[in-house]
Amino acid sequence: MFRDIPLERPVTPLLDTIDSPTQLRELDEAQLPQLARELREFLLYTVGQTGGHFGAGLGVVELTIALHYVYDTPEDRLVWDVGHQCYPHKILTGRRERMNSMRKPNGLAGFPKREESPYDTFGVGHSSTSISAALGMAIAARQQGIDRHNVAIIGDGAMTAGMAFEAITHATHTGANMLVVLNDNQMSISKNTGGLNTYFSKIWASKTYNQIRSGGKSVLSKLPRPATSIAARLEEYMKGMVSPATLFEELGFNYIGPIDGHDLDMLVPTLRNLRELPGPQMLHIMTQKGKGFEPAEQDPVGFHAISKIEPKVEAKAPPKPASPKYQDVFGQWLCDQATASPELVAITPAMCEGSGMVAFSEQFPERFYDVAIAEQHAVTLAAGMACDGLKPVVAIYSTFLQRGYDQLIHDVALQNLDVTFGIDRAGLVGEDGPTHAGAFDLSYLRCIPNMVVMAPSDENETRQLLHTGYLYPGPAAVRYPRGTGPGVTIEAELTPVEIGKGVVRREGRDVAILCFGTLLGAALEAAESLDATVVDMRFVKPLDGPLIDDMARRHSLLVTVEENAIAGGAGSAVAEYLNRQDICLPLLQLGLPDDFIDHGKHKQMLSAVGLDAEGIAASIRRRQTKLGQAPLLSSLPG
């Protein structure tokens, strides 16, 4: 049991001999426990060097070894769900000495990535995709006459999503040869809602079950002694009706388990046996998130991921207080709004901690709904609540709202229901990379009728625009980024902003920069060198048309800036507005390019795509040079 994360590379003589699973399979089975110990210690060291997902990987060390030991990877396909379980897999598949590049520019990705290794059979960042993908691979192998094993490893809460069960039912229908390993650690990122173990325990402890149980015993106790054994068998039968074995076997899977997922002596022979069985197989294992590192075992939520461990240095001056994270600004607003609004209810799809909702869940437990990894359900649940008098607030990451997009359109916006969306992790998210980037929300939100879409520029605007969206009697979304803001004063009083109104932050000449969101600081800095006007637009939908008209009259070039895809984003909205108004004026749209941007530090990523102050100024100068500084004032109205 480790208590500290090592700062020096541990001695791992056996692990150092493993550069591929082929070498792993040459080991004697008796050597595998030693390999597990070394792998766990090496994992602790490398994540301490780079930061990253932590607890889930520690929990699958033995499973990862057993899978690569039994199956002929990469010819046999391993598909990892919830990709942050994949660090031990990467270490064993030839990437051990590159682990210190994890999540850095040009380094290893924090999730499985097909371009990175043939052992990464399916790219993943969102949960609950593994069974569908592995089934697709199994069908492909069968159709091509290839004898290949296909394994989906699902866990860390991913079985709570409906997509997993859709895949299970289809796998049964096809009869495909595949194995699903259910890694049941009773956790997702937050405490697992609806986890299998908790679910069955609740049933067996339920009032209904126990009334039947005690009533049956009361009746049977008055009968002759043989009836007592009938009562015992009846109880076991009732339990069997709701056991995992019954559930999955009724769905058409051959179910084995649960077994200890840290016991290699049990895992290896079990996997060998299952490898030879035809049709859909389910292996249910029990593991401990954070296994082997005591702090992570005690606090699996807090150690889901960690930052890079820096050597301790003597502080020369007291550090200045850190600005609150945007998620905490949201969490504080939520509590304050709920105090004033008894009809407010809050919904999250398994992201209580990440969305800053812990305080709300403790202060208003009867108004807090964690629906597990079920984004579609979260959105339609909010719609149902809004139909009958509640005012739901859905806290959701931008990248996860993509999974509930049909529900957002069909169930909320089409019916013009009063639902507020707090959209976290908007824009680039740094080391988590493209799977978690909120690069598209302005594009996919602004095309939906009835939506109000807001992009605040700082912490106080975030608070006040959340209040504005909550008071708006229809669907409203406020998008804000990961991390901290510029550190502005946050006003305690909640003051609504006029819908669709921006504000001029700097007066200049020739160039007007229309900024949507938290790139305002970079825009202001760029404007200083250009003597440009800067507008904090705040609203993507509805746009402040009169303000755009005024900027167009007084400037020869309009520039839009957003941390969102240029395609279909806020700049496109401005272009469409100018077109509708017959305003012929040069427009430069700055935002994220038509590409998936690799992981790295957030500031480095912004610089790489030209969205820091220097990049914004350079892009404007290039456009001015091409235009020859010639304003087209004659074509402007008025």
Side-chain angles (χ1 to χ4, degrees), residues 501-534:
K501 290 298 178 183
V503 58
V504 177
R505 299 295 186 187
R506 185 188 190 280
E507 286 283 5
R509 59 188 180 86
D510 296 332
V511 177
I513 303 174
L514 312 181
C515 187
F516 296 86
T518 53
L519 293 178
L520 180 65
L524 286 167
E525 187 178 339
E528 287 296 324
S529 65
L530 300 164
D531 191 21
T533 297
V534 177

Side-chain angles (χ1 to χ4, degrees), residues 13 32 44 61 76 114 147 186 266 274 278 282 342 479 561 619:
L32 298 185
L44 283 165
V61 165
D76 288 337
R114 282 172 56 84
D147 184 15
Q186 304 181 63
M266 176 68 75
L274 287 169
M282 171 77 69
R479 59 106 69 171
V561 177
S619 294

